Amino acid sequence: MVDQSDEARFADFLDRLAAVLGGAPVVYRFAPAREQSREIAALVYKASPSPEYVTGVTFGLSVTAGRELVITMRSDDLGWGKVPARLAASLQGMYPFGKGQAVGYAGSLVNGSKLSSVVFAEPPIPELGDGIDIASEVRESDVIEFVGVYPVYASERDRVYTSGFDALWSLEWDRFDPVRCGDMTMVGALRQCVTPRRVL
């Protein structure tokens, strides 16, 4: 479970998110990879922000890092909503989860998908762009920043490593499509697979 000292903070976090994402999430727990780290919760919202999407938000990183991760994908597979929490549970304390960075995963992010890495950028939900303050009567200002998680191919991750974040992010590709038709680092893919960038 979430650490007992975090329960009130967790409840306030859920309340604030409900105003943005609606409804109650399905909650999954991920044990940390290292003993000194914290459990990470995956809050998975079905049909949010609209019926064809799933959104996942972490809880646990902000206790020490002041930020949480959020993903939105056009899918009914709740596995996508768990991706940020799995990454956070594995890498917390070792990786800053900063915007403009990229990281790989050992295997596919979700079964049946060829996407195996992620890049971090602004959150996909505009209302979370300025963060949320979960201050309460017993807790002073407690602003949580949100970092967006966007699944990519391994070669796209490598492009970020070698050429910088903008070399990938500036291309036109559907950030929310879990089965998009190709690697954006390949010229052929660019010619065949460029589609309008969809926004929520």
Side-chain angles (χ1 to χ4, degrees):
M1 296 180 65
V2 172
D3 189 281
Q4 203 61 30
S5 64
D6 297 334
E7 286 292 351
R9 190 171 183 271
F10 183 54
D12 289 336
F13 185 66
L14 288 175
D15 285 345
R16 304 299 195 281
L17 283 182
V20 176
L21 299 175
V26 181
V27 180
Y28 303 89
R29 316 282 184 175
F30 291 87
R34 283 161 293 282
E35 291 184 4
Q36 68 271 27
S37 298
R38 309 180 74 88
E39 177 188 83
I40 301 293
L43 315 178
V44 182
Y45 293 82
K46 296 183 287 185
S48 180
S50 57
E52 67 270 31
Y53 290 85
V54 61
T55 291
V57 183
T58 63
F59 179 80
L61 281 180
S62 60
V63 176
T64 56
R67 62 182 51 169
E68 298 291 354
L69 307 179
V70 56
I71 188 173
T72 295
M73 295 296 280
R74 194 165 54 257
S75 175
D76 58 4
D77 187 344
L78 300 189
W80 288 109
K82 302 176 189 178
V83 167
R86 288 209 324 267
L87 290 171
S90 297
L91 297 175
Q92 62 175 315
M94 299 175 57
Y95 193 81
F97 303 102
K99 296 171 184 175
Q101 296 180 317
V103 68
Y105 189 73
S108 298
L109 295 173
V110 170
N111 288 340
S113 172
K114 295 181 179 180
L115 301 173
S116 62
S117 302
V118 302
V119 294
F120 300 101
E122 293 296 324
I125 309 295
E127 293 84 353
L128 298 179
D130 294 328
I132 59 173
D133 191 346
I134 59 170
S136 68
E137 294 180 357
V138 297
R139 189 174 56 252
E140 295 183 357
S141 180
D142 187 355
V143 178
I144 295 176
E145 174 193 6
F146 290 91
V147 176
V149 176
Y150 298 86
V152 297
Y153 292 97
S155 53
E156 294 171 328
R157 173 205 66 209
D158 292 343
R159 183 181 184 117
V160 174
Y161 289 165
T162 58
S163 302
F165 175 75
D166 287 340
L168 175 65
W169 197 253
S170 63
L171 301 175
E172 290 289 332
W173 50 282
D174 188 342
R175 280 98 161 93
F176 309 110
D177 185 358
V179 292
R180 57 187 173 88
C181 62
D183 177 350
M184 289 295 100
T185 66
M186 303 298 293
V187 173
L190 285 172
R191 289 175 177 164
Q192 298 173 29
C193 299
V194 170
T195 56
R197 184 182 304 175
R198 293 183 61 166
V199 296
L200 300 176

